[in-house]
């Protein structure tokens, strides 16, 4: 006697998961899917689907809105094929996804890793996750294969306040990264207290205290080799707060880096500028400048910044003749001496 088989009825949890998967993969703010389509794809009644969709709209799963798009909602749609129906708000909208993808690209990581990372970013963007315009990803010529692992290790060292030991690279004549050596030709070994990882000028920096110095150092993460993290927690020689310009107060790392258009040690000092024409060179580098307009196209400017970093910044715009350093006199002398050196070098 044959026994008839009957397909098991899916559980409520299974139905909800399948609905969410469909919404996540096929919808965005301009592309919906109807309850009828969903019911056909997961083989349950349209009434059941509608009930779950309404419940999802009320609870907003994972903090993401579930809504029904009407035709009137799509009158100003930018896509060529907008479609009414139910949708779930993407984890990342197109602008957020673009920022994340471009940020990954400028990290100068391995091309295979970047492709995998960006593909994962796309999976959180729903139907809108098909970006165009990302260039072909290539691995940089001087790519350090330890780079990604070093980031993880440095993050752990910072979190647990552990001393690090490492070799630090420079470039050889062919542009390859090679460890620094001392005068005897031996590879140098360094120790440091790590404090903070930060992007600046398209470089990934570790702000740290190298034990052979009394000041902060700003090291390019891609130049680390043979990184080792000590096992003892809270073993730093010095805390970051010990470098605060105001003793007894916390060290403000964001303010510190804002005062250095190029990361380098040395105190930030008041700098007085006169800028003629446009303020773009100023605000592209100094968010917290204090500016007073003194004529139609002339500005009185005060910033707090490192002198040497400001010298380098001002030299970028020297050919435009937009910027004059009024104070301090020491920075004016540095600019004058640099100009005289350039004049001597390029006199003929």
């Amino acid at each position: 006697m044959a026994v008839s088989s009957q397909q098991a009825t899916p559980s409520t949890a299974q139905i909800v998961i399948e609905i969410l998967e469909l919404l996540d993969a096929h919808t965005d703010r301009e592309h919906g899917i109807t309850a009828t389509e969903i019911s056909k794809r997961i083989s349950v009644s349209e009434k059941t689907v509608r009930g779950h969709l309404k419940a999802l709209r009320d609870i907003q799963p994972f903090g993401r809105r579930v809504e029904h798009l009407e035709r009137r909602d799509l009158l100003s749609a930018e896509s060529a094929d907008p479609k009414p129906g139910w949708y779930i708000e993407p984890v990342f909208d197109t602008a957020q996804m673009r920022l994340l993808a471009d940020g990954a690209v400028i990290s100068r990581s391995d091309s295979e890793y970047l492709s995998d990372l960006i593909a994962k970013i796309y999976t959180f963007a729903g139907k809108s996750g098909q970006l165009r315009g990302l260039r072909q990803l290539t691995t940089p010529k001087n790519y350090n294969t330890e780079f990604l692992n070093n980031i993880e290790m440095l993050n752990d060292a910072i979190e647990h306040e552990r001393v690090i030991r490492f070799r630090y690279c420079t470039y050889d004549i062919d542009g390859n990264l090679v460890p620094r050596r001392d005068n005897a030709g031996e590879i140098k070994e360094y120790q440091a207290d790590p404090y903070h990882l930060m992007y600046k000028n398209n470089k990934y920096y570790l702000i740290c205290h190298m034990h052979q110095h009394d000041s902060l150092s700003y090291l390019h993460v891609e130049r680390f080799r043979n990184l080792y993290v000590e096992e003892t927690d809270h073993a730093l020689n010095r805390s970051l707060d010990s470098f605060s310009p105001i003793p007894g107060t916390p060290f403000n790392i964001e303010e510190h880096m804002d005062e250095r258009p190029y990361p380098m040690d040395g105190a930030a000092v008041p700098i007085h500028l006169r800028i003629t024409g446009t303020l773009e060179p100023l605000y592209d580098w100094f968010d917290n400048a204090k500016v007073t307009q003194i004529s139609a196209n002339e500005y009185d400017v005060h910033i707090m910044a490192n002198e040497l970093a400001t010298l380098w910044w001002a030299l970028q715009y020297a050919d435009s003749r937009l910027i004059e350093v009024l104070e301090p006199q020491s920075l004016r002398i540095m600019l004058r001496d640099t100009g005289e050196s350039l004049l001597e070098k390029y006199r003929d």
Side-chain angles (χ1 to χ4, degrees):
M1 178 176 172
V3 178
S4 61
S5 61
Q6 185 175 4
Q7 186 175 2
T9 302
S11 67
T12 298
Q14 183 180 348
I15 294 171
V16 171
I17 290 171
E18 291 184 7
I19 291 173
L20 285 171
E21 287 177 341
L22 282 173
L23 292 175
D24 198 51
H26 300 286
T27 73
D28 62 20
R29 291 185 181 91
E30 295 186 355
H31 301 87
I33 185 171
T34 65
T36 302
E37 291 176 273
I38 295 173
S39 69
K40 289 178 180 178
R41 293 198 184 206
I42 65 175
S43 300
V44 298
S45 72
E46 185 175 333
K47 179 180 178 181
T48 298
V49 170
R50 290 186 183 280
H52 287 308
L53 286 170
K54 291 176 181 177
L56 289 171
R57 179 173 57 189
D58 292 337
I59 66 174
Q60 298 188 27
F62 313 112
R64 299 167 66 186
R65 289 189 303 126
V66 174
E67 296 287 352
H68 189 272
L69 289 169
E70 308 293 342
R71 292 194 179 278
R72 63 177 178 271
D73 298 324
L74 301 171
L75 294 177
S76 301
E78 296 181 359
S79 61
D81 60 341
K83 183 181 177 183
W86 289 89
Y87 84 100
I88 189 169
E89 182 180 47
V91 175
F92 301 134
D93 62 28
T94 302
Q96 291 169 330
M97 187 169 56
R98 182 83 217 195
L99 285 171
L100 288 170
D102 286 343
V105 169
I106 67 172
S107 70
R108 297 171 58 83
S109 294
D110 171 70
S111 60
E112 183 177 347
Y113 173 84
L114 285 180
S115 297
D116 181 59
L117 175 60
I118 291 172
K120 289 179 179 178
I121 293 173
Y122 286 171
T123 65
F124 288 100
K127 184 178 175 65
S128 65
Q130 304 304 313
L131 286 182
R132 298 293 181 264
L134 282 175
R135 62 183 179 274
Q136 182 68 33
L137 300 176
T138 58
T139 301
K141 173 186 174 182
N142 55 12
Y143 173 67
N144 182 350
T145 57
E146 300 173 32
F147 175 68
L148 296 170
N149 187 55
N150 286 347
I151 291 175
E152 184 174 347
M153 293 175 68
L154 289 170
N155 189 70
D156 184 67
I158 292 168
E159 176 70 21
H160 298 285
E161 297 183 338
R162 294 174 178 171
V163 171
I164 58 173
R165 291 191 279 112
F166 57 95
R167 295 174 178 178
Y168 196 62
C169 293
T170 185
Y171 294 103
D172 67 11
I173 194 170
D174 296 317
N176 300 310
L177 284 169
V178 294
R180 288 179 176 176
R181 295 177 181 269
D182 60 24
N183 293 335
E186 299 296 323
I187 293 176
K188 290 184 176 182
E189 300 279 351
Y190 298 94
Q191 286 188 313
D193 303 325
Y195 302 127
H196 194 76
L197 289 164
M198 176 179 283
Y199 266 112
K200 184 86 170 181
N201 304 335
N202 290 339
K203 293 289 185 182
Y204 205 23
Y205 288 94
L206 173 72
I207 296 91
C208 65
H209 164 231
M210 298 180 73
H211 289 180
Q212 70 268 40
H213 301 310
D214 292 326
S215 56
L216 289 175
S217 294
Y218 312 82
L219 305 181
H220 295 181
V221 175
E222 68 269 21
R223 296 188 191 178
F224 280 79
R225 287 276 175 83
N226 299 94
L227 176 65
Y228 176 80
V229 178
E230 300 285 359
E231 296 181 358
T232 306
D233 290 356
H234 312 294
L236 303 185
N237 283 13
R238 290 185 62 177
S239 68
L240 179 59
D241 287 345
S242 71
F243 291 96
S244 176
I246 305 174
T249 64
F251 188 96
N252 188 324
I253 190 68
E254 285 76 20
E255 181 180 283
H256 178 82
M257 296 302 286
D258 286 345
E259 293 170 345
R260 287 153 180 79
Y262 298 95
M264 58 182 59
D265 189 52
V269 300
I271 296 176
H272 186 192
L273 309 169
R274 182 67 46 82
I275 296 181
T276 304
T278 177
L279 291 172
E280 291 173 9
L282 175 70
Y283 282 119
D284 279 350
W285 295 81
F286 298 100
D287 290 340
N288 298 316
K290 294 179 172 57
V291 179
T292 302
Q293 187 166 2
I294 55 179
S295 69
N297 66 340
E298 194 173 16
Y299 303 90
D300 191 63
V301 177
H302 292 268
I303 60 174
M304 284 290 294
N306 174 275
E307 284 192 64
L308 182 56
T310 306
L311 168 73
W312 292 3
W313 166 76
L315 288 174
Q316 292 181 89
Y317 302 100
D319 64 329
S320 69
R321 297 173 173 81
L322 295 173
I323 300 165
E324 180 185 359
V325 174
L326 302 179
E327 293 179 300
Q329 184 64 22
S330 55
L331 180 53
R332 290 176 62 89
I333 292 171
M334 291 166 66
L335 283 161
R336 184 199 65 197
D337 292 347
T338 303
E340 290 175 351
S341 174
L342 290 170
L343 179 63
E344 181 65 26
K345 185 179 291 292
Y346 299 105
R347 187 181 297 277
D348 296 328

